[in-house]
Amino acid sequence: MKNKRNHRGAVKVRRAFSDSRKLKAGSYSRGVTILLVIAFMGVFALIMSSITGYVFQQSRYGRALYGREQALHIAEAGLEYYRWFLAHNPSIMTAGVGVVSPYTYTVTDPEGSTQGSSVVTATANLQCGVPQWIDLSSKGTADANPLFPRTLSARYMRPSVAGYSTVLNANTAFSSTGTSTGPIHGNGGIHMDGYNDSDVTSPLSSWNCTTSYGCNPASTTASGVLGSGAGYALWRWGATVPNISFPNMVPNYGTLKSYAQSNGGIYLPYTLSGNTVGGSDLRGYHLIFQSNGTVNVYRVFTTVAADSKHPDDTSTWVTDNHIIASGGEVFVNNYAIPSGCGLIYSEAKTWIEGTIAGKVTIVAADEVSAPDGGAYAPDIILANNITYTTTDGSVGLTAVAERSVVIPLNSPDVLTIRGIFVAQTGYFGRNRYTNSGDHKVPTSPVDYSSYVTRSTLNRFGTVVSTLRPATKWTSGGSLVSGYNAGGTWYDRVLAFSPPPFTPTVSTDYKFTLWREE
């Protein structure tokens, strides 16, 4: 009996132990489930919070983009309004009077609701008290999100000839040995056999291209631009190309003279200290520019004569007086070129050379108030190399001749000239000289026979010529006078910041250098 009871007790103990184990296992399982649920809820909450944060962030980013885009258009609206303001107040661009800066322009939508405002700052670039261009800065802020303003800047100016490598008012031809960098425009026909890397344009649909321009046989129906040049894809001609007006390009000579006399420029008069300087090819002024920003001025009273043929009339020999004789000049003065009025006005034939520092414009003209009644039109003679102290755009030369811009017989074998050269009624070039016949070059007291043919002409900047330019003369395909080879490169920096009173190609003002700051 005792054993049976013990057995039953053991059974009860085993059952209790088993029930205890079952109870503990169930509790553990439920705890793990709760932990898993909590963990998943945490992960879910983390994911949802990340998604929500991303959604809100994208919403803020979208509003910021919208505000930035609105601010850009508001800034542009400010520029356009100020352009309208300048166009309706012409005294600002002629006398610099009436500039309002800063000016706040409020932008509204068609329903009259305010979208934002633009603050426009205008800065006039003055030379001799006359605006050359106006720099505008427009800061636009949108009401939708004022935290993201945007600023646009632009230059308001008339496009000048500095934007071209060559501007011509006559038919012309470019040699196959030449290289042209920058736009070329001719109001006449163009025969282009050289290399060009930019536009070559003519308003003519057709023209009479003779053997003088390289057409063999001659053609009366030649395209406005033709030739064997590799850059033909950039040639344009016909009615879609506008004509550039030469009579309207240069400011009034009398006005420029008054600026030089009264507004701080340098005036070189017709008569100096009782000596007549103007009115003749036999005398004039010689300007040698110094790298320190000054110019040495000499009065030329004796020259050397040499016979030549000019590009405008190849049938006639003409006596030139482009060489300054030894001892044929006297020192006048050393002038500092004023930074606020970089204008030199000469009433006589003018020789120039040297190193340019700063921006300066030389005008050689004999306007109607001169003692000779204005009958004489002086030339500018490029006596030697003309270079810049730097080519970063802060230095530049514009030389405007009432008649021609000429390279003389005694020019260097390798000639380098930088500048914007304008032959208002004449031509740019080097005349034809010869070593034979009745018109050969002088050989005494200086022998100039070796100067008839030259090697290389490198030109950086712009040439503007009313008549056909010429620096190379050939006969039967061989060089007989002038420069055999060379290249032309336009100064793209000066296209947007030329020297004062550089001639323009349009009467309309435009925005240039449009960019976001």
Side-chain angles (χ1 to χ4, degrees):
M1 292 296 294
K2 185 177 180 180
N3 290 336
K4 182 180 281 190
R5 283 197 300 271
N6 290 339
H7 175 73
R8 289 177 178 173
V11 171
K12 289 181 178 180
V13 171
R14 286 195 295 270
R15 287 179 177 173
F17 179 74
S18 176
D19 291 341
S20 173
R21 292 183 61 185
K22 290 180 179 180
L23 178 61
K24 290 182 179 179
S27 300
Y28 176 78
S29 178
R30 285 195 297 273
V32 170
T33 302
I34 292 173
L35 290 176
L36 289 174
V37 170
I38 293 173
F40 278 116
M41 288 179 64
V43 172
F44 179 76
L46 181 61
I47 293 173
M48 287 302 297
S49 113
S50 299
I51 293 174
T52 303
Y54 176 77
V55 170
F56 282 117
Q57 184 183 31
Q58 289 300 306
S59 177
R60 288 194 298 270
Y61 179 64
R63 289 195 298 272
L65 286 179
Y66 177 71
R68 276 177 50 80
E69 189 66 21
Q70 269 201 326
L72 179 66
H73 291 288
I74 290 169
E76 189 172 14
L79 286 180
E80 293 296 334
Y81 171 79
Y82 212 92
R83 177 163 66 171
W84 176 90
F85 172 74
L86 291 171
H88 287 77
N89 292 272
S91 63
I92 295 176
M93 299 308 299
T94 56
V97 179
V99 174
V100 180
S101 178
Y103 181 85
T104 301
Y105 176 67
T106 302
V107 178
T108 58
D109 62 19
E111 288 74 31
S113 300
T114 300
Q115 298 296 303
S117 61
S118 172
V119 178
V120 182
T121 303
T123 305
N125 178 280
L126 301 178
Q127 279 287 314
C128 309
V130 180
Q132 304 300 299
W133 59 76
I134 292 183
D135 287 324
L136 300 175
S137 176
S138 177
K139 181 179 180 180
T141 304
D143 290 346
N145 196 330
L147 297 177
F148 297 97
R150 296 178 77 175
T151 302
L152 296 177
S153 63
R155 179 162 292 175
Y156 184 76
M157 65 183 294
R158 286 175 176 168
S160 75
V161 296
Y164 293 83
S165 170
T166 307
V167 182
L168 305 173
N169 200 36
N171 302 330
T172 193
F174 288 84
S175 167
S176 59
T177 59
T179 298
S180 300
T181 299
I184 296 171
H185 175 86
N187 288 337
I190 300 175
H191 190 166
M192 172 60 74
D193 284 338
Y195 169 80
N196 66 280
D197 72 345
S198 189
D199 293 343
V200 179
T201 56
S202 168
L204 298 184
S205 298
S206 62
W207 61 296
N208 183 19
C209 183
T210 64
T211 54
S212 174
Y213 298 100
C215 288
N216 190 13
S219 172
T220 58
T221 59
S223 301
V225 183
L226 77 159
S228 58
Y232 59 87
L234 299 172
W235 301 351
R236 292 187 294 113
W237 63 89
T240 59
V241 176
N243 187 81
I244 293 179
S245 174
F246 271 65
N248 297 328
M249 123 179 347
V250 178
N252 180 273
Y253 288 126
T255 302
L256 293 177
K257 175 182 174 181
S258 68
Y259 292 157
Q261 287 178 304
S262 307
N263 293 22
I266 298 173
Y267 171 56
L268 304 178
Y270 187 93
T271 301
L272 180 68
S273 302
N275 298 291
T276 301
V277 187
S280 171
D281 278 337
L282 303 177
R283 53 186 182 259
Y285 290 104
H286 183 194
L287 279 57
I288 304 178
F289 290 90
Q290 309 297 308
S291 59
N292 62 358
T294 65
V295 57
N296 290 336
V297 177
Y298 297 81
R299 179 175 62 84
V300 177
F301 55 86
T302 305
T303 56
V304 176
D307 289 348
S308 72
K309 288 186 177 181
H310 295 188
D312 56 334
D313 186 0
T314 58
S315 63
T316 304
W317 288 95
V318 179
T319 300
D320 293 333
N321 291 89
H322 299 332
I323 301 174
I324 301 174
S326 177
E329 59 184 349
V330 60
F331 179 71
V332 175
N333 203 349
N334 172 264
Y335 296 94
I337 300 172
S339 60
C341 187
L343 174 64
I344 301 175
Y345 190 93
S346 169
E347 286 187 323
K349 183 177 181 177
T350 305
W351 286 259
I352 60 174
E353 61 179 284
T355 302
I356 309 295
K359 290 182 180 177
V360 60
T361 294
I362 303 166
V363 177
D366 187 3
E367 49 86 38
V368 293
S369 64
D372 69 346
Y376 172 73
D379 294 330
I380 286 179
I381 310 300
L382 307 182
N384 210 326
N385 292 315
I386 300 173
T387 59
Y388 293 168
T389 56
T390 179
T391 56
D392 63 0
S394 61
V395 174
L397 166 70
T398 294
V400 180
E402 187 177 0
R403 188 166 60 184
S404 297
V405 178
V406 181
I407 300 170
L409 169 62
N410 62 334
S411 60
D413 187 52
V414 178
L415 177 63
T416 299
I417 53 175
R418 289 185 178 272
I420 301 164
F421 304 102
V422 181
Q424 174 66 8
T425 59
Y427 61 88
F428 173 93
R430 189 177 192 267
N431 299 331
R432 178 176 178 173
Y433 300 97
T434 182
N435 275 324
S436 61
D438 296 334
H439 301 284
K440 63 182 180 181
V441 300
T443 56
S444 178
V446 178
D447 186 356
Y448 290 104
S449 59
S450 63
Y451 287 86
V452 171
T453 58
R454 305 275 78 187
S455 171
T456 307
L457 170 61
N458 295 315
R459 178 175 63 80
F460 299 85
T462 303
V463 158
V464 181
S465 183
T466 293
L467 304 177
R468 180 184 180 182
T471 58
K472 179 179 182 179
W473 299 79
T474 60
S475 178
S478 300
L479 179 72
V480 295
S481 181
Y483 282 91
N484 184 50
T488 62
W489 298 266
Y490 94 113
D491 195 329
R492 67 189 69 195
V493 181
L494 290 185
F496 306 107
S497 57
F501 308 106
T502 295
T504 59
V505 296
S506 173
T507 58
D508 295 330
Y509 287 89
K510 297 180 180 180
F511 277 153
T512 61
L513 296 179
W514 192 101
R515 65 191 184 277
E516 183 174 4
E517 295 181 0

